[in-house]
Amino acid sequence: MRSETLKAAFISLLLFAVFIGAWHMATLPKVSAAQAGANAEYAALMGKGAERSGGFPPPAEVGAAFITHLSNPFYDRGPNDKGVGIQLGHSLVRVALGFLLAVLVAVPFGFAIGMSPLLLKAFDPFIQVLKPISPLAWMPLALYTLKDSSISGIFVIFICSVWPMLINTAFGVAAVRRDWINVARTLEVNPPRKVFLVILPAAAPTILTGMRISMGIAWLVIVAAEMLVGGTGIGYFVWNEWNNLALPNVIFAIALIGLVGMLLDMIFRRLQELVTYRE
């Protein structure tokens, strides 16, 4: 198993090296045919020196952007010039608040409709209508009613997080083995103990799966939401750097978003492993 992991890591590093090499080759300076036969000094005097192929930054420039931003991630030089650590912190706080609100609503409600087929049928049409709506479609209404771009971003995270959690919680609770519930009933276990000692442990892996999906969607949506509302956040950072035509900084931010998303997913995968039991 360990040797397989090492092999997989080696292949990943090899693929990454090939990608960087191809990127470097694609962004090498290009010399025209006319310039190739001309004297280099003459070409320089004529202002026709070597040019980059398409203006896309090479890996070295992006690497320099990594060093620049990570060497001082928490500087604050005004509203439009904050370190990437501060921008990332704003995004993570919004995601955390919206996600926690979704947990407070989706898990109890999912329990209720999972335990009652009548409630499940009654609420199913509303869930099916509201679930496919893009979270960003709620942004105008949120901005109009809440009058605050930051709170509106939290609301959008709440909306996009609530449905996967709600559906997975309801499914997990409804799928708990009837035998286990019947045994609890036979032993005259009171309802709170039945919920916390029988249903919750059995449904926990499915609930955590819903939370993991919700967190992935929330991290996707926060970037787009912050591009729309501006102000602070990693999404605003990307948009601001694009307006400054600083492509190395944009690529750095994209890579950072991916790395943070991977870390968030790893946390929930670890939680899933902790609550998953094998019969």
Side-chain angles (χ1 to χ4, degrees):
M1 186 68 182
R2 188 172 179 179
S3 63
E4 190 177 357
T5 304
L6 289 175
K7 286 178 186 174
F10 175 75
I11 293 172
S12 297
L13 287 174
L14 187 63
L15 289 173
F16 183 71
V18 169
F19 170 71
I20 295 295
W23 180 5
H24 175 71
M25 294 298 292
T27 53
L28 278 177
K30 185 185 291 182
V31 179
S32 67
Q35 290 166 351
N39 182 282
E41 186 179 355
Y42 176 74
L45 287 172
M46 296 297 291
K48 295 179 179 177
E51 294 176 355
R52 226 169 37 215
S53 58
F56 198 81
E61 284 187 25
V62 178
F66 266 82
I67 294 171
T68 302
H69 287 289
L70 295 182
S71 60
N72 186 17
F74 297 106
Y75 73 84
D76 189 349
R77 302 187 188 117
N80 293 322
D81 192 8
K82 297 180 188 298
V84 71
I86 296 176
Q87 306 283 21
L88 197 58
H90 281 286
S91 297
L92 287 171
V93 167
R94 289 190 187 113
V95 168
L97 291 175
F99 186 82
L100 285 176
L101 284 174
V103 169
L104 293 175
V105 172
V107 173
F109 189 47
F111 252 86
I113 63 176
M115 294 176 70
S116 169
L118 177 64
L119 286 179
L120 181 60
K121 285 183 181 177
F123 282 100
D124 188 60
F126 299 100
I127 294 171
Q128 297 306 323
V129 169
L130 294 172
K131 184 183 63 172
I133 299 174
S134 168
L136 294 179
W138 294 95
M139 184 60 84
L141 288 179
L143 288 170
Y144 179 77
T145 53
L146 300 173
K147 316 286 187 192
D148 187 288
S149 59
S150 186
I151 297 176
S152 299
I154 294 170
F155 173 76
V156 168
I157 295 302
F158 163 76
I159 283 290
C160 73
S161 302
V162 76
W163 303 118
M165 252 187 281
L166 175 64
I167 294 169
N168 274 267
T169 303
F171 175 77
V173 170
V176 175
R177 285 187 177 183
R178 295 295 101 185
D179 296 343
W180 299 347
I181 296 176
N182 291 336
V183 168
R185 187 180 295 121
T186 304
L187 296 174
E188 297 183 349
V189 177
N190 59 46
R193 282 175 61 85
K194 186 169 70 176
V195 167
F196 287 105
L197 298 181
V198 179
I199 298 175
L200 182 59
T206 312
I207 296 172
L208 260 296
T209 300
M211 289 183 178
R212 186 178 174 185
I213 295 169
S214 293
M215 179 54 74
I217 296 172
W219 189 241
L220 285 174
V221 169
I222 190 65
V223 175
E226 287 172 346
M227 283 183 176
L228 281 176
V229 299
T232 53
I234 193 68
Y236 172 72
F237 179 85
V238 173
W239 192 246
N240 198 34
E241 294 302 323
W242 161 245
N243 287 329
N244 295 332
L245 295 179
L247 282 183
N249 293 341
V250 172
I251 297 172
F252 158 73
I254 291 171
L256 189 64
I257 290 166
L259 289 172
V260 173
M262 183 185 72
L263 289 176
L264 292 172
D265 187 71
M266 287 172 65
I267 292 171
F268 278 90
R269 185 173 62 187
R270 180 62 183 148
L271 290 174
Q272 260 186 303
E273 291 172 355
L274 290 176
V275 300
T276 300
Y277 59 94
R278 301 187 185 281
E279 298 181 27

